[in-house]
Amino acid sequence: MRGHTERLAAPLSPEDQTVQSMPDVSPTKWHRAHVTWFFETFVLADNEAGFAPYQDQYWFLFNSYYEAVGPRYNRAERGVISRPGAHDVGRYRGNVDERFRTLVDGLDQGSLDKLAGTIELGFHHEQQHQELLLMDIKHVLSLNPLQPVYAGAPAERSEPDGLGWVDVEGGLVEIGHRDAGFSFDNELPPHQVWLEPFRMADRLVTNGEWLAFMADGGYRRPELWLSDGWAQVKTHGWAAPFYWIELDGVWFEHTLHGTFPVDPGLPVSHVSHYEADAYAAWAGKRLPTEAEWEHAVRSDDAQAEVAGNLADTETYHPRAAGPSTGRLRQVYGDCWEWTSSAYLPYPGFHPAAGAIGEYNGKFMSNQMVLRGGCALTPPGHARASYRNFFPPGARWALSGVRLADGGVRA
Amino acid sequence: MRGHTERLAAPLSPEDQTVQSMPDVSPTKWHRAHVTWFFETFVLADNEAGFAPYQDQYWFLFNSYYEAVGPRYNRAERGVISRPGAHDVGRYRGNVDERFRTLVDGLDQGSLDKLAGTIELGFHHEQQHQELLLMDIKHVLSLNPLQPVYAGAPAERSEPDGLGWVDVEGGLVEIGHRDAGFSFDNELPPHQVWLEPFRMADRLVTNGEWLAFMADGGYRRPELWLSDGWAQVKTHGWAAPFYWIELDGVWFEHTLHGTFPVDPGLPVSHVSHYEADAYAAWAGKRLPTEAEWEHAVRSDDAQAEVAGNLADTETYHPRAAGPSTGRLRQVYGDCWEWTSSAYLPYPGFHPAAGAIGEYNGKFMSNQMVLRGGCALTPPGHARASYRNFFPPGARWALSGVRLADGGVRA
Amino acid sequence: MRGHTERLAAPLSPEDQTVQSMPDVSPTKWHRAHVTWFFETFVLADNEAGFAPYQDQYWFLFNSYYEAVGPRYNRAERGVISRPGAHDVGRYRGNVDERFRTLVDGLDQGSLDKLAGTIELGFHHEQQHQELLLMDIKHVLSLNPLQPVYAGAPAERSEPDGLGWVDVEGGLVEIGHRDAGFSFDNELPPHQVWLEPFRMADRLVTNGEWLAFMADGGYRRPELWLSDGWAQVKTHGWAAPFYWIELDGVWFEHTLHGTFPVDPGLPVSHVSHYEADAYAAWAGKRLPTEAEWEHAVRSDDAQAEVAGNLADTETYHPRAAGPSTGRLRQVYGDCWEWTSSAYLPYPGFHPAAGAIGEYNGKFMSNQMVLRGGCALTPPGHARASYRNFFPPGARWALSGVRLADGGVRA
Amino acid sequence: MRGHTERLAAPLSPEDQTVQSMPDVSPTKWHRAHVTWFFETFVLADNEAGFAPYQDQYWFLFNSYYEAVGPRYNRAERGVISRPGAHDVGRYRGNVDERFRTLVDGLDQGSLDKLAGTIELGFHHEQQHQELLLMDIKHVLSLNPLQPVYAGAPAERSEPDGLGWVDVEGGLVEIGHRDAGFSFDNELPPHQVWLEPFRMADRLVTNGEWLAFMADGGYRRPELWLSDGWAQVKTHGWAAPFYWIELDGVWFEHTLHGTFPVDPGLPVSHVSHYEADAYAAWAGKRLPTEAEWEHAVRSDDAQAEVAGNLADTETYHPRAAGPSTGRLRQVYGDCWEWTSSAYLPYPGFHPAAGAIGEYNGKFMSNQMVLRGGCALTPPGHARASYRNFFPPGARWALSGVRLADGGVRA
C-alpha cells in the first residue's frame, strides 16, 4: 500500500511535486510526507521506545489540521516550501517504514491488537491521499500552457448508452456501516431512516447530456440554480465543467492523459454540487439523498463490485457505462456522486477521543455528501456506507451526477 | 398589519432609516419600500387595470432577489441610496395601500379567492421584514459611539431559573405543515420521519451558563468547535456573543433599549450556529434536529401559545424563563433556536411557479434551520412547522440555544 | 465663510447628508461637523476658559486624521453613523460659532495676534471642505438611479475654442509662496528651481478632444499608458472619464445640475492622472511640472484673476474657454490641473509643531500635484503657489488637463 | 556574464528554483529563462535567418511585461508552472547561446554595430536579474522553517564605526548619464538642476543605530511617519526590518548565509522607504534627493570605486564601513540607498521606439528612486547615474539608508 503512493508519484519531476496551484491543492511531496507523518505521529510516537521525531520541523510542516498535535504550517503556503525536496521525502518515508516494521515485529499480540485500529486507519488515510494526490496534480498540470501528460492514453471514443431507472422500495431501512470490515467514524452508528419508494438512474449523466443542458442555456438561466450556485456562476463565469475548454467551437477536456475533445459517451465529471443540482432541475429530476443512495446500492447487491474495484490506471478517467442491465452501473469506479444531503453527524455519532477524533467530525459543516468512488480511488477503498464530502462549490474533485426521482408519500 | 411596520419605524430619524451597516443589513426605509413593492409587483401588476409602476426606478431599487422580475439594484449598496427619502417612502406606501384597497373592493369573490394566497403571502412577508427591520436597526445603532436607544427600558434583573428536561417519544412521526392556516412553501409537504426517543431542555441556555462556558475557555479550545467555526473564531476574534462588550472586566450587552450589564438569568442571544454547537459540545449535549424540535413542540401542546405570542415591545429582548413547569418554556417569543439540521428541501418539495417560487427554495444551501420565534417576531407570525434559516456564522439575528440529548437506538 | 458651508448643504435632505458612497467620500453632515471640530479643537480647546467638548464622542467622531489629538473613528465607516443627525450638527455649529465669538471678543490684541494664524487656517480649512462637500455629494447622487439634481441648470452648448500656446522663458526661477497673504505650509519655503524654456497650452483639453482620443483607441492602447495606469484601465474597465455614461451610442455626463449629453466645447473633467498622462502621450505632448505651471502663471500676470475667481454657482461645472487672447485661460475656476510632479516636500520644508503639523506633510507620498482651482473652489481660495494633491488614480475630484511642451536643453 | 547566472543558480535544487513566495518574487528558473527569452526576442527574432522560437509557449511564459510582444503569462502565477523544469531551462539557455554565437559570428561589422546596443542592453538586463535572483531566493528560503542556507558564512562581528559628514557645494549642476559607456534610457538626458549647499553622511545607517530607533519607539510613534507608511506599520505589524526576528529578547537576522544575531556594526538593510523616512525624521535629518546623491558622489571622485565593485560573494551581505576617511563610504557594494525623489522622467526623456521602450518609462509612477548598488549587484553593473526604483513599501530588496542635511537657501 505504501509502495503504491510512490508509484503514483514516480512520473512526476521534483518541480511537479513542489507546486501548490491553489489553497485546496497540496504538493505531491507534501502528500507523500504527510501520510508518513500520520504513522509517525499516531503509531510511532506513543509506542516506539525512545521515540524522537525524524526531524523536528517535519512535525510542524506535515500536520494537516490536527489542533491537538500542536501548531502547524499554514495550508495555503505549502507551495512555498522547497525543502525537504522530493528525494528527502523519500528518505523520510523509508525511515518511518523501517521503524514501523521494527516496532510491529517487536510487539506482542495484545499490544498489536490495541494498535491495529490506528494502523488500519493509517492505511485508509494514505489511500485517501493517493486519490487526492492524483486530483491535485491534475489541477497543477492543467494550468501549464505546455499541457503536460501525467500518464496513459485515451480510451476509444464511446457510444452513448441508454439511461434506465431502477425502482427501489422504501420503508424503515438501516443506514451506516454494520459489517465486519473497516469504516471511518463518520459512517457510524448504523441507524434507521424512513424512505418513501423512489427510483435511481442506472448510470451517471453523460457528457453528451451535459452538452444538451449547456445548449439549452443551462448556465444562463437563474431559475435552475440555487442562489449561492448562481452567485458562483456569475462570479467565476462558469459555462461548462471545470476542465472543459472551448477552442474554435469545439469543447476539449483536460485529463491526466492529455487534452482531448469531449467524449459524449463518458460520464460528465468535475462538476460542483451546484451544477449537479441545476442539471437535475433542468432534467425535471433531483439528486438522491445519501440514505437513498446507500439503500439502493445495498438493495442491488452491487456491493460485490467493491472488491474488484480498480482505479482506471490506463486513463485515470471515468469509463462509459456500457449497455443497460437493469441494475445500477458505474457505482464505484468512475465519479464520486453528489447527493442532496448535507454532511452531518449520524444520530449518536461521537468522534474518537484525542487528536484522531479530528479526522472527520469537525468538518461536518457547509459540505455535501458524495457517495460511491471514482477512477482515482485505490482498489478496495470504497464501500456502500462510505461518506465522501466536499463544499458545494468544489470542482477539482472527480465528481459526477446520478439522478433520482420519486420518494414522495403517495 | 401594514400600520405596524410604520409604528416600528416611527422612532427612527430619516438618517437612521438610511444607513446600511453591513451587507446583510438593509436600511429601514428600504424595508418599508420593499414590502410595498412586493404588493405592487405580485398583486397589483397583474390585476390592476392600466397598471403602471408608481415609479419606474422603484421597480429596480426595491426588488430584493427575484431574478424573474428583472434586473435589480445591488444589495450591498442599499445604503448609498439617499432618495427616495423616508418621507417619500411613506407616500409610496400610502399610494400602494390605496390602490390595493381599490383593487380588492372591485374584485368579485372568484377573483378574490384566486388572489387570496398571494395577498396572504404578502402579509406574512411583511411580518418577516418587521422582524428584520428591528434586527437590522439594532445593528446600525450598535455601531454608533453615541449609543442611541431605539425604545423601551430594561426589565428588572432576573434570577436564574433551573434547567429541566422533557422526554419525548420517538417513532415514525409526521413533520411539516398540515393544518388549515397559512404556511410558507418550505414547510411542505408534510412527511414521515423516524425518530429515536430523545430529551429536550425545557428552557433556553442562559447568559449565566454562557459566562461559565467562556470562563472555562469555550472560545479558546478548538476541540469544541467545528473546523469552519474555529476559523471564524480566529479570523474575527470571537470571544463572547455578538453584542457583548467587556468594560473593566464587566460584560455589557447592547440591546434596543440601551447598553446594560449582562443579565445572567436571560437567555443568551446573538450567537452563531458555530457557537451554539460548541456550547453543546462543552455541555456534553447536542442541538436538536428540526424534526425533533417540531415533534417535541407538537407533543407538548405548546402550539396553543402561538396565538398569544407577542413581541416584547417593552424591551425588544428575550425574557427570563420563569419557574420550571415540566413543559417546554420559551418556545416562541424569546430567541430563534439553532437546530443541527441543514436547510434542505422536504421530500417532494416543489417551489411555486414563477417569480414567487424564488421565495424560499433557492436559498436551500449553506444555511442551518432555526425554529421557534423571538422577541422581535410579530404577533401570530410563528408556528410549530415554521422554518427560519441563516448561515451558520450569522450572529446579528436574535438567535439562541436549546439543548437536546439522546435520540440513539438503544 | 461659515454660512457658506450651510448654504451649500441647504439643498440636501437629511438622508443625502448621511450617505458615504465610497471610502474617499465623506457624508455632508460629517464635513459640516468636522470643520467645526477643527475650530473647537485647535482654537477653543487651549484658549476657552473652562473648556469642555460640546460632546465627548464628537471629539472622536469628527477627527479626520490627527493622530496627536487621540484615537479617531474609522474613515471608511462614516456612513454608518446616523446620529448626530443633520439638525444636530447644525446645533453643534451654532454652539461653536457662539463660543468662538465670545472667545475672540474677550481676547486682548496680543492674544488675538497669537491665535490669528490658527483661525485663518481654520477658515481656509473649511473652504477646502466646501469644495470637497460638493465633489462628494456629486458622487453620492451619481449612484442614485433616480438621477437627483443638486442645483442649477446647464449652460448653453458651447463651441470649441482654438488651442494656442504660450511661450515661457526658463532660467533660475523662484517657486513657492512669498507674498503677504495666507498660505499652507506645503507652499513653503520659496526656493530656486532651474527651468529650460517651455510652452504651455493656453486652455484646458476639451471634451471634444477627449472624444477624439477615445475614438483613436486611447483606452485600448497600452503603449500610451503608465504601467500602473494600464492596470487600472484593465481592472476597472475605464473607457471614458469618470462621470460619462454611454446610452445608445451617445455619451452623457453626470453633473451637479443633472445628466446631459457631453458638450464638446467644455473642458474634460474627472480624469485621473493616468488618463491625463496617456492623453498627453497620445497628443505628442506632456503634462507640465508644478514649477513650470507656477512660473508660467506668475509670468502671465494671471494672478490678478484670483481675486475675481468665483465658483460657478450656476452650473457647478467648468465653462468654455472663450476665444484665445494669447494668455493663459481657465487658470483657476474650471478644473484642477494635473502636473507631472509628485507631491513632495520643498527643500527646507518643516511641518508645524504639534497636531497642526499633520495637516499636509504626512501625505507627501504616492500623490501627484494639481494646480489652479476648479468650478467648486470657493471664491478667493486659490492662488499661484497653491498645491493640491490626489493619488494618480483618483477621478472623483474635479480634475482636468493642460498640456505643456519643450523644457529641454537646446 | 551568462555563466555567472548559472553559477548563482548552482546551489539551488530543482524544487528551490520552482517556488514563487510572493507576487514580487520570481522563481529562479523563471529568471534564468526570462533573460534568455530577452536575447531570443530582441536579438535573434529579427536577425536570425529562418527564425523560429525554441518553444512557442516559452514566448508566452517568459515575457515579463512587454505588451508590444504579445499576451503574456500572469506574473503572480509563475510558481504554478513546474515545467519546463530547471534542467529544461538549462537546455534552453544553451540553445539560445549557441544560436547567438552563430548569429554574431556571421554578421558583418555594419550589422554588428547596429545590433550592439541591444546586445549590450541584454547583458545589463541579465545582470539586473542576477541581483533579483538573489533577492528573490533570499525571500523563498526565509519562509522555510528548516532555515536553509544559500551559501557562505558570516563575517566576523564588526565594531560600530563613527559617522562623519561630507559637505557638498551646490549651484547649477549637471545630472544624468554623460559618459561614454552604457546607460539605461532612464538616466537620460543629462540636464541641469539647481542645488543649495548640503551635507551627506559618510556612511550608511547601522543596525546599532536602528536598534536605538526601535528602542525609542520608532515603530510606535505616528508623528515620525508618512501617513501611508503608518498605515503599513499598522496593517502589517512592522516592528523591525524585514528579515529580523526576535527570539527570547534577542534580534536575529535571516541572511543568505544563515540566521544570526543582528550585528550592530553592519548597515541596516531590507527597510522600506517609509522606514528610511521615519528614521531620518527621528534623527532630525532627511533623505537626500537623487540629484544631491549623484552630485555628491561625482564630487567625491568616488566613481573610481565602481570598476572595483564586487558583490560580496562570501556573505552576500553588506559589510561594515570601516574607519572614516572624510569621503563617502559604502557607495556601491552594500545597500541600495533610498532617496527622497519620486521616480519620474528627466526633462526631455523619451523611451526607445518599440517594445524595448517599455523597459523603464512605463514604471515612472508610485515608485521612489534608490541610488548606489548593493552586495548582490554584479561586478561593474552600477554607476553614479544609475537609477534603481521600488515602491515605497518594498522591503525584500537589499535597501538601506544614508542621511542628508542642509540644502536650504541661506
Side-chain angles (χ1 to χ4, degrees), chain A residues 127-194:
Chain A
Q127 287 186 314
Q128 291 186 313
H129 279 276
Q130 288 165 357
E131 186 180 296
L132 286 169
L133 182 159
L134 291 169
M135 285 184 191
D136 288 357
I137 201 67
K138 184 172 185 175
H139 188 253
V140 168
L141 299 180
S142 77
L143 297 176
N144 194 318
L146 302 180
Q147 301 193 0
V149 169
Y150 169 71
E156 275 189 41
R157 206 163 172 82
S158 57
E159 288 306 305
D161 300 300
L163 173 69
W165 292 89
V166 176
D167 288 301
V168 187
E169 275 185 46
L172 198 58
V173 307
E174 193 178 58
I175 297 300
H177 182 73
R178 59 200 191 221
D179 311 313
F182 173 83
S183 83
F184 290 109
D185 58 358
N186 63 3
E187 304 167 47
L188 297 169
H191 60 283
Q192 289 183 299
V193 171
W194 176 259

Side-chain angles (χ1 to χ4, degrees), chain C residues 333-390:
Chain C
D334 296 289
C335 292
W336 287 103
E337 305 177 20
W338 287 109
T339 71
S340 64
S341 298
Y343 180 50
L344 294 172
Y346 282 168
F349 167 76
H350 280 294
I356 283 284
E358 299 183 48
Y359 200 101
N360 274 309
K362 73 180 184 182
F363 301 109
M364 292 176 173
S365 176
N366 298 314
Q367 314 224 40
M368 300 302 285
V369 172
L370 302 97
R371 291 299 195 106
C374 79
L376 310 177
T377 311
H381 184 65
R383 66 196 149 263
S385 60
Y386 196 106
R387 307 176 80 197
N388 201 350
F389 52 90
F390 282 108

Side-chain angles (χ1 to χ4, degrees), chain B residues 11-22 29 55 57-58 60-61 73 77 79-87 140-141 143-146 148-150, chain C residues 11-22 29 55 57-58 60-61 73 77 79-87 140-141 143-146 148-150:
Chain B
L12 299 168
S13 72
E15 293 91 336
D16 292 336
Q17 296 198 31
T18 300
V19 171
Q20 177 174 40
S21 50
M22 64 171 176
K29 69 185 176 70
Q55 233 279 22
Q57 291 294 354
Y58 288 18
F60 169 74
L61 278 172
Y73 186 76
E77 307 286 326
V80 165
I81 298 303
S82 59
R83 306 186 194 183
H87 188 68
V140 168
L141 299 179
L143 298 175
N144 195 318
L146 303 180
V149 170
Y150 169 71
Chain C
L12 299 169
S13 70
E15 293 92 335
D16 292 337
Q17 296 197 32
T18 301
V19 171
Q20 177 174 41
S21 50
M22 64 171 177
K29 68 185 176 71
Q55 233 279 24
Q57 291 293 354
Y58 288 18
F60 170 73
L61 279 173
Y73 185 75
E77 308 285 326
V80 164
I81 298 303
S82 58
R83 307 186 193 182
H87 188 69
V140 168
L141 298 180
L143 298 176
N144 194 317
L146 302 179
V149 170
Y150 169 71

Side-chain angles (χ1 to χ4, degrees), chain A residues 36-56 58-59 69 92 95-96 99-100 103:
Chain A
T36 306
W37 169 94
F38 191 96
F39 282 108
E40 196 184 17
T41 302
F42 293 116
V43 178
L44 296 185
D46 288 343
N47 297 283
E48 192 180 39
F51 170 83
Y54 176 75
Q55 231 279 21
D56 279 347
Y58 288 17
W59 206 255
V69 173
Y92 176 41
N95 173 278
V96 169
R99 288 155 66 202
F100 177 89
L103 172 73

Side-chain angles (χ1 to χ4, degrees), chain D residues 173-178 189-193 291 294-295 346 371:
Chain D
V173 306
E174 192 178 60
I175 296 300
H177 182 73
R178 59 200 191 221
H191 60 283
Q192 289 184 299
V193 170
E294 181 171 336
H295 180 59
Y346 283 167
R371 291 300 195 106

Side-chain angles (χ1 to χ4, degrees), chain A residues 12-251:
Chain A
L12 300 169
S13 71
E15 293 91 334
D16 292 336
Q17 296 197 31
T18 300
V19 171
Q20 177 174 42
S21 50
M22 63 170 177
D24 287 334
V25 158
S26 295
T28 305
K29 69 185 176 67
W30 188 91
H31 282 297
R32 293 169 56 217
H34 164 67
V35 293
T36 306
W37 169 94
F38 191 96
F39 282 108
E40 196 184 17
T41 302
F42 293 116
V43 178
L44 296 185
D46 288 343
N47 297 283
E48 192 180 39
F51 170 83
Y54 176 75
Q55 231 279 21
D56 279 347
Q57 290 294 352
Y58 288 17
W59 206 255
F60 170 72
L61 278 172
F62 299 122
N63 178 358
S64 52
Y65 53 68
Y66 296 85
E67 305 271 356
V69 173
R72 63 186 192 277
Y73 185 76
N74 177 14
R75 172 177 187 140
E77 307 285 326
R78 288 176 186 162
V80 165
I81 298 304
S82 59
R83 307 187 194 182
H87 189 68
D88 302 321
V89 168
R91 281 193 301 214
Y92 176 41
R93 292 181 61 90
N95 173 278
V96 169
D97 283 351
E98 185 163 325
R99 288 155 66 202
F100 177 89
R101 261 183 248 110
T102 305
L103 172 73
V104 168
D105 289 350
L107 286 181
D108 58 41
Q109 191 60 39
S111 305
L112 197 57
D113 288 350
K114 262 175 58 188
L115 209 50
T118 307
I119 293 172
E120 192 171 22
L121 181 63
F123 286 150
H124 288 268
H125 172 256
E126 184 145 352
Q127 287 186 314
Q128 291 186 313
H129 279 276
Q130 288 165 357
E131 186 180 296
L132 286 169
L133 182 159
L134 291 169
M135 285 184 191
D136 288 357
I137 201 67
K138 184 172 185 175
H139 188 253
V140 168
L141 299 180
S142 77
L143 297 176
N144 194 318
L146 302 180
Q147 301 193 0
V149 169
Y150 169 71
E156 275 189 41
R157 206 163 172 82
S158 57
E159 288 306 305
D161 300 300
L163 173 69
W165 292 89
V166 176
D167 288 301
V168 187
E169 275 185 46
L172 198 58
V173 307
E174 193 178 58
I175 297 300
H177 182 73
R178 59 200 191 221
D179 311 313
F182 173 83
S183 83
F184 290 109
D185 58 358
N186 63 3
E187 304 167 47
L188 297 169
H191 60 283
Q192 289 183 299
V193 171
W194 176 259
L195 295 179
E196 302 290 338
F198 62 99
R199 299 196 303 160
M200 292 279 276
D202 73 343
R203 65 156 170 75
L204 301 178
V205 171
T206 63
N207 287 330
E209 289 163 339
W210 202 268
L211 285 162
F213 167 68
M214 287 162 59
D216 195 35
Y219 284 94
R220 296 189 306 272
R221 293 166 52 185
E223 71 271 20
L224 299 173
W225 292 77
L226 287 164
S227 181
D228 286 353
W230 186 242
Q232 301 237 18
V233 169
K234 303 278 278 269
T235 302
H236 302 299
W238 288 355
F242 190 45
Y243 283 124
W244 289 24
I245 310 139
E246 194 176 20
L247 293 172
D248 299 327
V250 180
W251 284 102

Side-chain angles (χ1 to χ4, degrees), chain A residues 15-16 18 82-83 85-86 144, chain D residues 15-16 18 82-83 85-86 144 146:
Chain A
E15 293 91 334
D16 292 336
T18 300
S82 59
R83 307 187 194 182
N144 194 318
Chain D
E15 293 92 335
D16 292 336
T18 300
S82 58
R83 307 185 194 183
N144 194 318
L146 302 180

